[in-house]
Amino acid sequence: MGNTLINVYARNGDLVSAHNVFDEMPDRNSVTWACLVSGYTQNEMPRDAFATFGRMLSAGFIPNHYALGSALRACQRLGAEGLKHGMQIHGLVSKTRYASDVVVCNVLISMYNGCISGPTGTDYAWRVFDGIANKNSISWNSIISVYSQRGDADSAFGLFSDMQKEGVGFSFRPTEYTFGSLIAAASETRKADSGSLLLKQLLAKIEVSGLVEDLYVGSALVSGFARFGAIDIAKSIFEQMGARNAVSTNGLMVGLVKLKQGEEAAEVFLGTRNLIRLNTDSYVLLLSAFGEFSCPEEGKRKGKEVHGYLTRTGVNDSSISVGNSLINMYAKCGSIEDASSVFNSMPAKDSVSWSSMISGLDQNEYFEDALLIFYRMKKTGLVPSNFTLISSLSSCSSLGWMKVGEQIHSEAIKLGLDSDVSVSNTLLSLYADTGCISECRKVFSFMHDHDQVSWNSVVRAFSDDSEASIIEAANYFVEMMRAGWSPNNITLTNILAAAASLSHVEFAQQIHALVLKHRLTCDNTVNNSLLTCYGKCGELNDCERIFSRMAERDDVSWNAMISGYIHGEQLVKAMELVWLMLRNGQRLDCFTFATVLSACASVATLEHGMEVHACATRACLVSDVVIGSALVDMYAKCGRIEYASRFFELMPLRNVYSWNSMISGYARHGDGHKALEIFAQMKLKNQPPDHVTFVGVLSACSHVGLVNQGFDHFESMSRIYGLTPRIEHFSCMADLLGRSGEFEKLEDFISKMPMKPNALIWRTVLGACGRSKSNGRLMNLGERAAKMIMELEPQNAVNYVLLANMYASGEKWDLVAEARRAMKAAMARKETGCSWVTMKDGIHVFVSGDKSHVDKDLIYEKLSELSGKMKALGYVPETRYALYDVEVENKEEVLSYHSERLAVAFVLTRELESEMPIRIMKNLRVCVDCHSVFKYVSEIVGRRIVLRDSNRFHHFAGGKCSCNDYW
């Protein structure tokens, strides 16, 4: 009777009454003691259970298997702390007849699994299981559960197979506990494909056993399938279940949220809230569902409603997990102020609270605030988790704060979190984004494990413009595939960027083959990368083929195709594509407009540029600073500096590119003083100049011969602005000194350069020597420059032409002939000089001595007429620039038919009464004689002539040029 009372009181949780009955019993036996030990264990009082078990042994009672089982369960509940007692009890068991008792051994399996983490606990549990002579279904379920909890699906399913083999004749049928463990093991499988396959095989067996409707099994299946994204199967099981609870509902919601189907997850919650008793986790999941709504504003609105309900019921104040979910929900909905308000009002915070706030700030681009919260968290004494470090490092990466990133990296090493693959991946991105390639290499080499993100990150890190690093990216890519990883769309996008940087078409074709192999031809990101890569490689036929086959094209697709045409110098096709976009009703973005305007600027196609300007105006995008800067650049390069200036003045916002375009524009048009005036305004507006700014400023000084001012600006780069002069700035200074005839200073300047002069510098020196009256010293300097250039660029025809020019200016005809022979021997081909004008009926191109034009007779007649009028005004041909050792009359004839003269004569035959400026483009530098001719022609016809050569713009009017003969 006493034993029964103890059992009854213990089951009802009344341990005081149970103990009173025990104390009053005059006769106790092993069962009496077992009842009391079991009572303490069942009521989560493991230490009292140990104490009672010890008293039982001291009293001389031999514990039965119930007492032993209860004491071992008490050890299990204490975890690692109970291991010592558990091993002592195991030692005691081994000396009794219960050493092979199946009940006691089953509890020992669970005890070792609960008290020892890792493989050691599994080994101990396996030894106990292996020693059971007559295993029952509980033994098999226990050992399967051990391997399942360790995430070892292979072993768990292997044991399940053995259980079925040994159970033949013993009815070892799998129970709901067996299936629960196996479902958990399959759900923890890293590879989604194999995990999903295991679950489907299990589902077939469970359906045969009739346990699909079981609450425990059904809930586990719903969670497992939802975890792997098999939502349809999860829903089907959810609907078949005879009863549902919070676990099954939460499991389905987890899967839907993971697939970003927030609206559907919220519907599941609403559909079950009146049928089952939902727990706090259900509200946590509901809040996370709002963060995955397709419309963030709608998610925030519903989230606020639930927030109000939780506040009224007091759940918000009592649950840290709910507070953390509110922070996450508001952050994902873009309402970082509400997230901060929740965070600041939380009475208690854990490490997840801080991590959620840091992550939210990082996601919403409040990078500095995220790092400030990180340092506040450290002051509280809380240890940052891997998620905290990931978000903090991400903010460092976005800000480019490499030093702060290194400090957090040190923190990760101290905490042992640098071995976490996600933390290492974020470190890879940080060092890649801040250009620390060697650190990137070190982080990757120290990683114990690499996942897909690791390989993608390291390939991206090395996919820049340096040939050596791009080759390294390719090597990592090959190593990744050898390691058994299949490239995904991100991998292929990164490696295609590397191929594009190298313009390596064979490499691009090999990657394209992998795209086909892995069936990623429907992926827009990959197709866009292929378009960009083939475009940069000049393979426009491949671009057109890919573009035509794309089922869906986004803005990036169109821009990539347009950029490809522009790169391949097919501006007409690029413009046709722009018009096609407009006809299709597609909105052009800022990048498209800027790209096309840049192309118009590069070939000086004013009409096309103005058309694009009109389109941008209709699209209400001209106020965008990127498009504005591109328009300023386009008008300046197309000869309409007045349009560029007017638009520049109207820009509501300017950046460094806007100022640079205007400064360079004025410099290119020969108005150096105006360029320097704009530079002065730039400084007054507190816009810091960059390296490109000073190229424009120094060019302006060069074009107007401001030597001292040029040196002042050159020195101010490092002294005032902390900019180290680059080779292009030294080239501008060499040009400035050469044009102004300061050859002694030029030689001294070059000798003191901190880097070796490149071909551009020596070419500048040689050009300057050719433009001056060559004496012996200048000839020596020019020959020295020519020798250096030939070593650096032996196949560049321009170098030989400049040398021949220098010899011709000094009438050294034998040396001119020698220079031409050297050019022929080097197989260097000189670019054919040509000029072109744009008329209503299209573009007309001319070469020197051209007689292929349909209006050739009228053109040559006009040239003859102009020649007579020029000579009457005092024109004398500069025959030394004819570059041929022939009679003077023949030299005059050669000069008379230069391409720019044919172009101006052609315009004058077409536009007899017009007073509009004549605009001519030339691909080479205009010669001195043609420059002189254009001054006379502008006076004779009374029209302004704008000539753009390879160096600059010349504005001729009234017999004068804007460059003041200084170019």
Side-chain angles (χ1 to χ4, degrees):
M1 183 66 180
N3 294 344
T4 304
L5 283 171
I6 292 170
N7 260 331
V8 170
Y9 284 130
R11 284 178 183 176
N12 292 325
D14 188 356
L15 269 298
V16 174
S17 296
H19 208 283
N20 288 338
V21 172
F22 176 83
D23 289 339
E24 291 172 2
M25 286 179 68
D27 297 315
R28 301 169 187 151
N29 56 21
S30 296
V31 175
T32 312
W33 288 95
C35 289
L36 194 58
V37 173
S38 175
Y40 282 120
T41 301
Q42 287 171 15
N43 286 277
E44 304 292 338
M45 300 169 70
R47 289 181 177 78
D48 292 297
F50 288 147
T52 305
F53 185 73
R55 284 165 54 204
M56 174 184 179
L57 294 175
S58 299
F61 288 92
I62 298 173
N64 59 18
H65 59 272
Y66 296 112
L68 291 168
S70 297
L72 287 168
R73 287 191 187 91
C75 297
Q76 183 182 344
R77 286 193 170 89
L78 281 173
E81 188 184 337
L83 177 62
K84 181 181 176 182
H85 296 296
M87 294 185 81
Q88 288 173 348
I89 295 169
H90 191 179
L92 177 64
V93 168
S94 64
K95 298 173 184 176
T96 69
R97 60 191 177 90
Y98 298 114
S100 58
D101 182 87
V102 68
V103 175
V104 175
C105 288
N106 290 344
V107 182
L108 276 169
I109 292 170
S110 299
M111 185 276 293
Y112 279 122
N113 182 46
C115 293
I116 308 176
S117 60
T120 307
T122 308
D123 289 344
Y124 274 67
W126 172 257
R127 287 178 198 170
V128 174
F129 173 79
D130 199 38
I132 301 174
N134 298 306
K135 303 177 179 72
N136 61 14
S137 59
I138 297 173
S139 314
W140 287 101
N141 286 344
S142 297
I143 196 65
I144 289 170
S145 176
V146 168
Y147 283 98
S148 171
Q149 289 175 39
R150 295 283 180 263
D152 188 349
D154 291 340
S155 297
F157 277 85
L159 284 164
F160 177 59
S161 178
D162 293 342
M163 171 186 173
Q164 290 177 305
K165 289 173 187 174
E166 286 198 26
V168 177
F170 293 94
S171 297
F172 285 175
R173 295 182 63 188
T175 65
E176 63 270 29
Y177 302 109
T178 319
F179 286 127
S181 296
L182 291 170
I183 293 167
S187 300
E188 292 300 321
T189 305
R190 284 189 178 184
K191 293 187 177 179
D193 291 343
S194 57
S196 182
L197 182 61
L198 285 172
L199 282 178
K200 286 174 183 176
Q201 291 171 349
L202 270 177
L203 179 58
K205 285 188 173 292
I206 292 168
E207 285 175 335
V208 171
S209 70
L211 287 171
V212 175
E213 295 184 10
D214 181 84
L215 188 59
Y216 174 66
V217 175
S219 299
L221 281 169
V222 169
S223 297
F225 279 112
R227 179 188 178 92
F228 290 122
I231 289 296
D232 291 338
I233 300 174
K235 285 180 186 174
S236 174
I237 296 166
F238 186 74
E239 289 164 4
Q240 290 178 54
M241 291 174 65
R244 297 166 190 162
N245 62 2
V247 176
S248 52
T249 303
N250 293 352
L252 186 56
M253 288 176 67
V254 165
L256 290 165
V257 169
K258 188 178 179 183
L259 291 174
K260 300 190 181 300
Q261 296 179 18
E263 289 90 344
E264 200 164 346
E267 286 176 14
V268 170
F269 178 90
L270 292 171
T272 55
R273 65 174 177 171
N274 296 324
L275 303 175
I276 61 174
R277 185 177 179 181
L278 297 170
N279 55 23
T280 304
D281 290 342
S282 306
Y283 285 100
V284 167
L285 284 166
L286 178 63
L287 290 168
S288 65
F290 295 142
E292 301 300 342
F293 269 37
S294 54
C295 175
E297 278 299 317
E298 178 67 9
K300 184 175 80 172
R301 186 180 68 77
K302 288 187 177 293
K304 277 184 174 291
E305 291 175 2
V306 174
H307 186 181
Y309 170 77
L310 294 172
T311 302
R312 287 194 303 274
T313 56
V315 175
N316 184 27
D317 295 330
S318 61
S319 173
I320 292 178
S321 62
V322 169
N324 296 343
S325 297
L326 283 166
I327 293 169
N328 276 324
M329 181 272 293
Y330 282 125
K332 285 190 174 181
C333 292
S335 183
I336 199 65
E337 296 82 5
D338 288 319
S340 298
S341 175
V342 172
F343 177 78
N344 292 329
S345 63
M346 286 175 71
K349 303 179 183 79
D350 58 10
S351 60
V352 177
S353 315
W354 291 92
S355 183
S356 299
M357 194 64 236
I358 294 166
S359 175
L361 289 164
D362 177 62
Q363 290 167 13
N364 286 274
E365 300 184 3
Y366 288 81
F367 307 120
E368 291 184 40
D369 292 329
L371 293 171
L372 286 172
I373 294 289
F374 173 73
Y375 285 110
R376 273 179 57 194
M377 175 187 178
K378 283 186 65 182
K379 287 179 182 177
T380 66
L382 281 170
V383 178
S385 67
N386 54 344
F387 299 109
T388 316
L389 295 177
I390 288 165
S391 298
S392 303
L393 288 167
S394 174
S395 289
C396 291
S397 181
S398 299
L399 291 167
W401 288 5
M402 196 263 287
K403 293 291 182 188
V404 178
E406 284 180 332
Q407 292 172 5
I408 298 173
H409 188 176
S410 300
E411 186 82 16
I413 293 170
K414 288 176 191 173
L415 296 170
L417 290 172
D418 58 317
S419 59
D420 181 274
V421 69
S422 297
V423 172
S424 294
N425 289 343
T426 314
L427 283 166
L428 281 174
S429 293
L430 166 70
Y431 289 126
D433 291 342
T434 51
C436 303
I437 300 300
S438 58
E439 282 78 4
C440 225
R441 194 182 291 114
K442 285 176 189 173
V443 169
F444 188 80
S445 64
F446 286 140
M447 289 175 70
H448 301 298
D449 296 306
H450 302 119
D451 61 9
Q452 186 85 54
V453 177
S454 316
W455 289 105
N456 289 348
S457 298
V458 78
V459 170
R460 180 180 70 87
F462 290 92
S463 299
D464 62 11
D465 294 329
S466 158
E467 186 171 345
S469 67
I470 289 170
I471 290 169
E472 194 166 354
N475 290 335
Y476 277 118
F477 179 66
V478 173
E479 191 181 336
M480 169 189 168
M481 289 193 291
R482 283 177 181 163
W485 290 92
S486 295
N488 62 9
N489 57 345
I490 297 170
T491 324
L492 293 167
T493 299
N494 290 340
I495 199 65
L496 279 166
S501 297
L502 285 177
S503 297
H504 198 304
V505 67
E506 289 83 5
F507 188 24
Q509 288 167 343
Q510 289 171 358
I511 300 165
H512 194 173
L514 284 172
V515 171
L516 296 169
K517 179 182 176 182
H518 292 282
R519 298 178 181 179
L520 287 167
T521 50
C522 294
D523 188 286
N524 251 27
T525 308
V526 175
N527 281 327
N528 292 341
S529 298
L530 281 167
L531 284 175
T532 302
C533 186
Y534 278 131
K536 287 187 177 179
C537 294
E539 299 295 318
L540 292 177
N541 289 336
D542 288 319
C543 284
E544 288 171 348
R545 199 174 299 116
I546 293 165
F547 189 74
S548 65
R549 291 175 182 172
M550 289 175 70
E552 292 182 15
R553 300 170 187 144
D554 56 17
D555 291 342
V556 179
S557 317
W558 290 91
N559 287 333
M561 197 66 227
I562 291 167
S563 297
Y565 280 133
I566 290 169
H567 185 77
E569 298 181 358
Q570 295 189 25
L571 181 62
V572 174
K573 283 194 173 183
M575 296 302 295
E576 285 174 356
L577 211 56
V578 171
W579 307 145
L580 179 61
M581 286 178 74
L582 293 171
R583 279 199 301 273
N584 289 345
Q586 193 160 347
R587 181 181 172 85
L588 276 69
D589 63 9
C590 297
F591 181 81
T592 311
F593 280 116
T595 301
V596 179
L597 285 168
S598 176
C600 295
S602 66
V603 294
T605 326
L606 179 63
E607 289 74 14
H608 283 323
M610 293 180 80
E611 288 172 359
V612 177
H613 186 178
C615 291
T617 303
R618 285 196 296 272
C620 301
L621 289 173
V622 287
S623 59
D624 181 85
V625 70
V626 175
I627 293 178
S629 302
L631 281 165
V632 171
D633 187 55
M634 183 274 293
Y635 280 123
K637 286 179 177 175
C638 289
R640 288 299 181 96
I641 191 67
E642 69 280 9
Y643 284 12
S645 176
R646 194 180 310 156
F647 191 81
F648 177 78
E649 294 299 330
L650 292 172
M651 286 179 73
L653 181 68
R654 300 172 190 149
N655 60 15
V656 68
Y657 305 107
S658 321
W659 291 98
N660 289 351
S661 296
M662 202 65 249
I663 292 167
S664 300
Y666 275 122
R668 199 177 292 112
H669 281 265
D671 197 341
H673 295 291
K674 188 67 179 174
L676 295 174
E677 184 183 314
I678 295 292
F679 179 55
Q681 289 179 28
M682 179 183 183
K683 291 187 287 186
L684 287 173
K685 296 289 185 182
N686 295 318
Q687 173 63 62
D690 62 8
H691 285 91
V692 179
T693 314
F694 280 99
V695 170
V697 168
L698 296 175
S699 296
C701 293
S702 176
H703 285 311
V704 290
L706 300 173
V707 178
N708 293 333
Q709 204 166 338
F711 267 104
D712 289 342
H713 288 304
F714 181 75
E715 289 167 2
S716 75
M717 285 183 68
S718 52
R719 190 181 72 251
I720 298 174
Y721 301 105
L723 299 169
T724 304
R726 297 173 179 170
I727 194 75
E728 55 264 33
H729 302 104
F730 285 95
S731 177
C732 289
M733 291 304 296
D735 187 53
L736 170 61
L737 293 169
R739 287 181 188 280
S740 59
E742 301 278 1
F743 288 99
E744 287 186 19
K745 288 184 180 178
L746 175 58
E747 287 186 81
D748 183 59
F749 180 79
I750 291 173
S751 67
K752 291 178 179 177
M753 279 176 60
M755 73 279 284
K756 286 183 70 174
N758 64 358
L760 179 60
I761 298 239
W762 288 119
R763 194 157 39 244
T764 302
V765 173
L766 180 56
C769 293
R771 287 193 297 272
S772 301
K773 278 282 185 182
S774 294
N775 53 36
R777 181 173 177 177
L778 272 189
M779 193 75 76
N780 290 337
L781 176 60
E783 286 176 338
R784 178 184 160 211
K787 181 183 176 184
M788 300 303 294
I789 301 172
M790 304 311 177
E791 288 177 4
L792 294 167
E793 294 181 348
Q795 290 187 305
N796 189 336
V798 174
N799 304 328
Y800 298 94
V801 172
L802 288 173
L803 180 61
N805 282 353
M806 184 184 73
Y807 287 140
S809 67
E811 299 187 349
K812 306 283 186 181
W813 303 114
D814 54 336
L815 294 175
V816 170
E818 188 179 317
R820 291 187 176 278
R821 283 195 297 273
M823 183 169 82
K824 191 174 182 181
M827 292 187 291
R829 298 186 63 182
K830 178 181 178 291
E831 184 182 1
T832 303
C834 67
S835 299
W836 63 95
V837 291
T838 304
M839 307 294 284
K840 289 181 180 178
D841 58 346
I843 297 173
H844 296 259
V845 183
F846 301 90
V847 295
S848 185
D850 194 350
K851 293 195 176 178
S852 62
H853 199 277
V854 66
D855 295 334
K856 62 181 183 298
D857 294 335
L858 290 172
I859 292 170
Y860 280 89
E861 185 182 330
K862 178 59 73 174
L863 278 176
S864 178
E865 177 193 328
L866 290 171
S867 179
K869 289 180 180 179
M870 287 191 300
K871 285 182 179 178
L873 290 173
Y875 162 68
V876 178
E878 293 273 5
T879 53
R880 68 192 178 110
Y881 292 100
L883 303 185
Y884 292 98
D885 185 16
V886 292
E887 296 300 320
V888 173
E889 291 80 4
N890 291 336
K891 288 185 179 181
E892 288 183 22
E893 185 178 353
V894 169
L895 290 170
S896 297
Y897 305 136
H898 277 186
S899 62
E900 55 266 53
R901 298 195 196 186
L902 295 175
V904 76
F906 166 69
V907 175
L908 291 171
T909 62
R910 287 283 189 95
E911 299 177 351
L912 301 176
E913 303 297 329
S914 176
E915 295 182 0
M916 294 291 290
I918 299 170
R919 300 182 184 280
I920 300 170
M921 305 295 162
K922 183 175 174 65
N923 65 331
L924 302 178
R925 184 179 178 274
V926 64
C927 74
V928 173
D929 186 65
C930 287
H931 189 269
S932 178
V933 165
F934 272 49
K935 288 194 290 183
Y936 280 104
V937 171
S938 69
E939 185 178 0
I940 291 165
V941 301
R943 289 175 68 177
R944 191 156 66 96
I945 303 172
V946 180
L947 170 67
R948 191 190 92 163
D949 68 5
S950 59
N951 280 10
R952 63 185 290 173
F953 280 90
H954 298 267
H955 295 257
F956 300 94
K960 294 181 180 180
C961 179
S962 58
C963 71
N964 294 317
D965 299 337
Y966 193 89
W967 89 104

